[in-house]
Amino acid sequence: MKNYGKDLFKGTASYYAKYRPVYPPELVRFLVNRYSLDGTGRLLDLGCGTGQLTLRFADWFERITGIDPEEEMLIEAKRRSEDARIGHCEWIGGRAEDYVRSLSHDSIRLVMIAKAFHWMDQQTVLGQLYEAIAPGGGVAIIDAYHPGQQLEPWQEETERIVKKWYGEERKAGNTVYAHPPISYEERMNQSPFQTEVIHLPVHTVKWSIESIIGNLYSTSCGRPVYVNECKGAFEKDLHRALQKLNEKNEFQEHIGLNLILGMKEAEKRSKQ
């Protein structure tokens, strides 16, 4: 696994909380139904960020734990949970690979990894999680990666301007990003879990120029520090280019979420 250093998302938390697209309700409903969630048990969210998705499950577990290596993200997550008066959440700093080694047997009902699995030592994480997950529970890897998908014109123009100011290579922490060598489905198939692959219906996200820029700044590759003193000029350049495409400042993206589920078989009741 590539070492990206400790500053992978440094300086992005405020943008992350404000501009990241909200996960659709269909995702929450699906996981509630698939795992028969009923307000008991423990949820573990690895790479929880600011708790955007974690807190959507507050009514469905008696204990919730969010793990993230970026302290700024956890400060925002704690603030959001306190504002919502959700008292059964804990936010822990650290790497997923280290934390999962400390879990006790059958202690977790559901593990979520939303748009974060590509940063992890995947084989280690899945291997350690199997014993920690209670029978009938599982892992839900959530992603929207669709290689080769046709971009919207505004996305193509944004990509062009970003490369102009940020450079051709996708920066990540102290190096450049390297995509995992095999798919999440293949990785799950190599684990002790039973694999299920679900494609949720496509949902539409509406964007403005402000939110497009804010979302970029929320990513590891788009951290504002990478453009530094050129930040204002970059924003003007992108604003001008996108305004030419749509003077009303209205843009849309169609997103289809993929769920790679790892299921742990429920214990069979013995006959009396």
Side-chain angles (χ1 to χ4, degrees):
M1 176 189 167
K2 199 167 188 177
N3 182 7
Y4 294 103
K6 61 182 179 63
D7 293 334
L8 186 59
F9 281 90
K10 189 173 181 62
T12 66
S14 61
Y15 298 102
Y16 198 107
K18 185 175 181 180
Y19 293 109
R20 280 288 175 114
V22 175
Y23 288 96
E26 290 82 3
L27 170 61
V28 177
R29 285 198 296 266
F30 175 84
L31 292 177
V32 167
N33 292 331
R34 183 64 187 86
Y35 291 97
S36 302
L37 303 180
D38 57 4
T40 65
R42 182 183 175 195
L43 169 68
L44 175 62
D45 190 354
L46 298 178
C48 65
T50 61
Q52 182 201 74
L53 181 59
T54 328
L55 294 173
R56 301 272 293 279
F57 288 86
D59 291 338
W60 298 103
F61 291 92
E62 57 191 346
R63 182 182 175 190
I64 293 175
T65 303
I67 307 295
D68 202 279
E70 178 50 61
E71 186 63 27
E72 294 173 358
M73 294 284 188
L74 297 177
I75 291 172
E76 181 64 26
K78 184 178 180 181
R79 182 194 66 78
R80 295 175 73 169
S81 60
E82 289 176 348
D83 286 351
R85 299 184 181 182
I86 299 173
H88 57 295
C89 296
E90 59 180 346
W91 309 101
I92 299 175
R95 299 169 65 246
E97 297 85 348
D98 298 328
Y99 184 77
V100 295
R101 292 187 178 96
S102 69
L103 294 171
S104 56
H105 188 77
D106 291 354
S107 60
I108 306 293
R109 187 165 183 179
L110 175 63
V111 178
M112 291 194 308
I113 309 175
K115 298 182 181 179
F117 198 46
H118 53 295
W119 301 120
M120 300 176 188
D121 182 337
Q122 300 172 358
Q123 186 174 4
T124 296
V125 168
L126 292 178
Q128 293 287 334
L129 284 177
Y130 188 78
E131 293 301 323
I133 290 176
V139 181
I141 300 171
I142 303 157
D143 193 58
Y145 180 63
H146 297 280
Q149 180 179 351
Q150 180 66 42
L151 298 178
E152 299 287 342
W154 69 265
Q155 292 175 311
E156 293 179 340
E157 190 66 358
T158 298
E159 188 175 279
R160 182 184 71 81
I161 300 295
V162 167
K163 287 182 177 180
K164 172 183 172 181
W165 290 91
Y166 281 77
E168 290 290 329
E169 292 184 308
R170 176 178 168 179
K171 296 180 175 64
N174 56 16
T175 181
V176 295
Y177 177 69
H179 198 71
I182 64 174
S183 70
Y184 294 167
E185 182 178 358
E186 291 175 279
R187 184 65 73 191
M188 190 67 78
N189 286 336
Q190 294 175 357
S191 78
F193 292 100
Q194 297 176 353
T195 305
E196 292 183 13
V197 180
I198 307 295
H199 303 290
L200 292 185
V202 172
H203 65 283
T204 300
V205 174
K206 295 182 179 180
W207 297 95
S208 66
I209 296 174
E210 177 192 351
S211 61
I212 290 169
I213 294 173
N215 183 66
L216 173 68
Y217 289 161
S218 79
T219 66
S220 60
C221 61
R223 292 167 57 206
V225 69
Y226 290 142
V227 285
N228 208 2
E229 68 274 4
C230 299
K231 182 170 175 283
F234 159 70
E235 291 180 7
K236 288 181 181 179
D237 195 8
L238 183 54
H239 192 284
R240 188 164 44 244
L242 293 181
Q243 199 166 38
K244 287 182 180 179
L245 291 178
N246 190 313
E247 293 182 354
K248 293 183 178 180
N249 192 20
E250 297 173 350
F251 305 91
Q252 289 189 350
E253 180 181 8
H254 305 291
I255 300 176
L257 291 179
N258 305 316
L259 276 64
I260 312 299
L261 305 182
M263 309 297 296
K264 186 171 181 179
E265 187 177 3
E267 292 180 340
K268 297 179 180 179
R269 295 182 179 179
S270 59
K271 295 182 179 179
Q272 299 295 325

